[in-house]
Amino acid sequence: MADIDVFDGHNDAVQFIAEYSPSGRDFLLRSETGHLDLSRAREGGLIGGLFALHAAPERPPENDLIITADGYEVMYAETVDPLYARQQIEAERLALESLIRRSGGQMRMAIDVDEIRAARAEGAFAAVLHMEGAEAVDREFDYLHALHAAGLRSLGPVWSRPNIFGYGVPFAFPRSPDTGPGLTDLGKQLVRTCNGLGIMIDLAHLNEKGFWDVAALSDAPLVATHACAHAICPSTRNLTDRQLDAIRDTDGVIGFNLSVNDIRADGHLIDDTPLDTVVRHIDYLINRVGEDRVALGSDFDGAVIPRGIKDASGLPHLFEAMRKSGFDRQTLSKFAFDNWLRVFGLTWKNSTSA
């Protein structure tokens, strides 16, 4: 299944590119490190994706992983300082822009559906700007407007920690995603502002109360760029059936996360997870929300993914496993490409609907 074009709903590659990190890798050269570079993307049929900007904590906590009797809990630092976050986000954004310029046309920044389609037709790789956690955004939203003008088209209000906009869901298993308060009043204003600008709201990493706050406020389809089903794997990061139904009912999309500890029923961080297990999880999601509302949200360079895929070059192995399990060509194409463009067309301003 190497002839399927793929658009990916989430990757963390920007934090590892040479333009951002002096010890990082050259995205334009093939590497065996991490999951994603331009060569491996082409080998896997990947023609574009949402590139996440993310502010890491200044001082990561020590002993952040707690093993419990039946699972795990991960402790993270408190809210990142907004000025520090903005410095990181700007450095990452400028690094991605520098990479795209250096690519000599092999990569493009895309801000609407037409530009993604044009890049695909002309053999260029389309990068769409996403931000994972809004710590860098000021209370007046001036920086949000600046980011939108620079190409930002997708925003997760929180990562898995609290900020002035809401409460991220902590990493834990087995546990409900209902872990605390939802959006703050400022977070609700952020949703309305993003709706007005045509910035897609990403529900990944937001706790359940925050999810329902967005659902009550937003006039756009509900989207989680990288998550799985809580009914199969009871991780806090995964979505309950009721949440999945809300995504279905707004004609939104769930990006299927390739992180093994959110796919496996036992929540174990084991890369030797069979592709049959992966496909059964995808099948559950499609049966729940429909074939038009599940897409790929790999979390490349941000997760442990199944060994049978390994990296972006191995995506055809996933599609072949899906084909063997009974998925037809149309469903595969929707999962790989069409569903993202459809929801972008419904969400982004001045975009041609897919």
Side-chain angles (χ1 to χ4, degrees):
M1 302 298 292
D3 59 340
I4 291 182
D5 288 339
V6 186
F7 188 94
D8 182 22
H10 188 89
N11 75 69
D12 290 317
V14 176
Q15 297 169 61
F16 304 99
I17 61 175
E19 281 81 358
Y20 177 67
S21 172
S23 61
R25 58 187 183 267
D26 187 340
F27 193 85
L28 303 182
L29 299 178
R30 198 185 198 288
S31 172
E32 293 301 322
T33 303
H35 300 138
L36 183 60
D37 52 52
L38 189 58
S39 295
R40 285 181 288 178
R42 286 172 170 162
E43 290 170 25
L46 189 61
I47 63 92
L50 294 182
F51 278 66
L53 309 179
H54 173 71
E58 259 184 291
R59 292 173 295 277
E62 297 179 6
N63 303 318
D64 58 342
L65 177 63
I66 299 172
I67 302 299
T68 63
D70 55 354
Y72 63 85
E73 184 174 347
V74 179
M75 307 301 294
Y76 281 95
E78 293 300 316
T79 304
V80 174
D81 175 75
L83 179 59
Y84 177 78
R86 199 168 307 144
Q87 290 170 343
Q88 280 195 78
I89 295 300
E90 271 300 284
E92 292 174 11
R93 182 183 70 81
L94 293 173
L96 181 59
E97 288 185 354
S98 177
L99 168 63
I100 289 171
R101 287 193 300 271
R102 186 166 64 86
S103 77
Q106 297 180 82
M107 299 179 66
R108 300 180 186 174
M109 189 79 77
I111 62 170
D112 60 35
V113 169
D114 288 341
E115 289 188 355
I116 296 173
R117 291 194 183 281
R120 178 194 194 187
E122 295 166 23
F125 187 90
V128 174
L129 206 57
H130 166 73
M131 189 161 67
E132 188 173 33
E135 285 90 351
V137 175
D138 56 284
R139 293 175 177 272
E140 293 75 28
F141 304 126
D142 292 337
Y143 187 55
L144 179 67
H145 285 274
L147 283 173
H148 178 260
L152 185 76
R153 291 298 179 268
S154 177
L155 170 69
V158 299
W159 187 66
S160 289
R161 61 190 174 214
N163 64 28
I164 61 174
F165 302 108
Y167 293 81
V169 64
F171 292 75
F173 174 97
R175 192 176 301 176
S176 164
D178 186 10
T179 59
L183 296 181
T184 64
D185 288 343
L186 195 62
K188 294 174 182 178
Q189 188 177 344
L190 175 66
V191 171
R192 298 187 188 99
T193 303
C194 286
N195 279 173
L197 290 170
I199 296 173
M200 187 175 77
I201 297 291
D202 178 18
L203 298 166
H205 291 283
L206 185 61
N207 67 13
E208 188 172 4
K209 283 188 174 64
F211 178 103
W212 294 117
D213 285 339
V214 174
L217 286 166
S218 182
D219 60 14
L222 297 177
V223 174
T225 61
H226 56 304
C228 295
H230 193 271
I232 292 180
C233 174
S235 158
T236 50
R237 277 275 289 109
N238 286 342
L239 301 177
T240 66
D241 283 350
R242 184 167 169 248
Q243 289 174 297
L244 292 174
D245 292 347
I247 289 174
R248 176 197 64 205
D249 294 344
T250 63
D251 208 13
V253 163
I254 176 171
F256 180 73
N257 186 3
L258 292 179
S259 180
V260 293
N261 55 301
D262 286 330
I263 293 173
R264 299 172 60 96
D266 60 12
H268 288 172
L269 196 67
I270 300 173
D271 68 346
D272 192 17
T273 296
L275 289 185
D276 288 348
T277 300
V278 178
V279 172
R280 283 195 298 271
H281 202 133
I282 295 171
D283 187 58
Y284 180 88
L285 288 168
I286 289 177
N287 284 331
R288 189 80 196 186
V289 305
E291 66 179 32
D292 293 328
R293 300 175 192 92
V294 184
L296 178 69
S298 71
D299 207 5
F300 282 146
D301 285 331
V304 175
I305 69 169
R307 192 183 301 171
I309 300 171
K310 184 184 175 186
D311 57 31
S313 69
L315 285 172
H317 300 310
L318 171 62
F319 296 119
E320 180 62 19
M322 292 175 70
R323 185 194 65 78
K324 287 181 177 178
S325 75
F327 289 94
D328 62 23
R329 177 76 185 206
Q330 176 176 298
T331 303
L332 291 175
S333 295
K334 288 180 177 181
F335 176 83
F337 187 84
D338 298 336
N339 289 345
W340 278 127
L341 267 68
R342 180 188 62 78
V343 83
F344 294 159
L346 293 172
T347 305
W348 296 344
K349 301 297 182 183
N350 303 317
S351 289
T352 301
S353 177

